[in-house]
């Protein structure tokens, strides 16, 4: 679930890779296409895994290795499922990145996916916090009301539908969750503060759940 910026920082510290050069290749559409990625950026396609590199190693070699892992894990059966849904790979990776940013428990990934699929189906704004975190120069951090007003096509509080692209690099669990949402009618979820979520079908249920959680947090703070 790391962003490419965070990966660039790690590679600078561990391998001595130039972060600016790394990000310039990440956001080079021609380089993306050369690696088999039909997108304007490699954000979302740098597969999270453990990699071993023997210096000297180039930025291109590192990116190629990570994208190769994405291709290896996003199998033909997952591509077939993508086509069956009428989606593109880029759309699935984008949704998976939001699920990755939201989920802390593996068993909740299909439920979180269902919330977003259900919202997309009825034209409801995703209102996904990971898309706001992606826009913050000092994130991730606690979000404030003013953060939800940031003018960007990535702000899913202001713009309906999916953002233009992924907001982090998801793993296989989130990719599969995006392709296989749980068969539930949930439209709302609220974080319980322990990594889990409370899911609701109706707005009034969601408001009550938020009220209960706020009361609990208030008592814990006393």
């Amino acid at each position: 679930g790391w962003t490419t910026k965070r990966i660039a920082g790690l590679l600078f510290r561990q391998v001595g890779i130039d972060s600016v050069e790394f990000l310039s290749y990440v956001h080079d559409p021609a380089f993306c296409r050369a690696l088999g990625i039909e997108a304007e950026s490699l954000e979302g396609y740098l597969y999270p895994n453990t990699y071993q590199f023997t210096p000297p190693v180039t930025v291109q070699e590192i990116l190629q290795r990570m994208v190769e892992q994405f291709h290896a894990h996003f199998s033909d059966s997952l591509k077939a499922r993508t086509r069956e849904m009428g989606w593109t790979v880029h759309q699935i990776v984008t949704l998976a990145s939001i699920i990755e940013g939201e989920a802390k428990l593996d068993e909740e990934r299909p439920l979180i996916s269902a919330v977003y699929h259900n919202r997309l189906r009825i034209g409801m704004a995703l209102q996904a916090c990971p898309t706001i975190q992606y826009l913050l120069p000092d994130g991730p951090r606690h979000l404030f009301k003013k953060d939800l007003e940031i003018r960007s096509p990535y702000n899913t509080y202001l713009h309906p539908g999916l953002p233009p692209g992924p907001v982090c690099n998801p793993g296989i669990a989130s990719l599969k969750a995006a392709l296989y949402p749980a068969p539930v009618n949930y439209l709302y979820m609220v974080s319980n503060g322990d990594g889990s979520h409370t899911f609701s079908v109706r707005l009034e249920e969601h408001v009550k759940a938020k009220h209960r959680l706020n009361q609990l947090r208030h008592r814990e703070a006393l």
Side-chain angles (χ1 to χ4, degrees):
W2 285 25
T3 63
T4 53
K5 285 184 180 179
R6 189 176 176 189
I7 294 171
L10 176 70
L11 287 170
F12 172 73
R13 294 189 300 272
Q14 296 292 333
V15 193
I17 288 296
D18 184 283
S19 298
V20 174
E21 182 186 7
F22 180 85
L23 291 173
S24 70
Y25 275 101
V26 164
H27 298 293
D28 181 346
F31 186 67
C32 294
R33 288 191 291 274
L35 296 183
I37 301 300
E38 296 299 323
E40 298 299 301
S41 166
L42 294 179
E43 187 82 76
Y45 300 92
L46 303 186
Y47 193 81
N49 210 335
T50 299
Y51 296 91
Q52 294 184 350
F53 298 105
T54 303
V57 61
T58 67
V59 168
Q60 298 98 311
E61 289 170 337
I62 290 175
L63 289 171
Q64 181 176 354
R65 180 94 65 85
M66 299 182 82
V67 173
E68 283 175 351
Q69 283 295 299
F70 169 81
H71 288 306
H73 284 82
F74 203 86
S75 61
D76 288 343
S77 62
L78 297 186
K79 292 175 184 175
R81 171 63 177 168
T82 301
R83 292 191 295 270
E84 178 185 313
M85 293 171 62
W87 287 48
T88 66
V89 171
H90 192 64
Q91 288 172 327
I92 290 297
V93 176
T94 298
L95 179 57
S97 75
I98 298 174
I99 296 168
E100 187 74 58
E102 191 72 56
K104 299 295 183 290
L105 304 176
D106 281 344
E107 61 268 25
E108 285 195 353
R109 293 179 199 273
L111 296 172
I112 293 170
S113 177
V115 169
Y116 292 136
H117 273 282
N118 292 338
R119 288 186 174 190
L120 288 169
R121 189 177 63 254
I122 65 174
M124 179 179 175
L126 290 182
Q127 296 187 335
C129 292
T131 66
I132 304 299
Q133 295 286 2
Y134 186 66
L135 298 172
L136 301 177
D138 58 341
R141 59 164 171 76
H142 175 75
L143 295 180
F144 300 98
K145 186 177 180 181
K146 65 178 182 179
D147 298 323
L148 308 184
E149 299 169 357
I150 297 174
R151 300 185 68 84
S152 168
Y154 280 86
N155 187 337
T156 56
Y157 282 79
L158 296 180
H159 302 283
L162 290 168
V167 296
C168 71
N169 293 275
I172 191 62
S174 292
L175 289 166
K176 287 183 176 179
L179 289 164
Y180 296 96
V184 294
N185 296 323
Y186 295 141
L187 282 172
Y188 305 94
M189 60 183 173
V190 59
S191 173
N192 295 327
D194 60 358
S196 67
H197 293 78
T198 296
F199 298 88
S200 305
V201 175
R202 293 185 294 274
L203 179 59
E204 54 267 30
E205 295 172 340
H206 177 60
V207 171
K208 288 179 181 177
K210 288 183 69 174
H211 182 65
R212 286 196 302 271
L213 289 165
N214 287 336
Q215 286 184 319
L216 177 61
R217 289 167 183 165
H218 179 69
R219 287 198 297 269
E220 290 176 345
L222 294 177

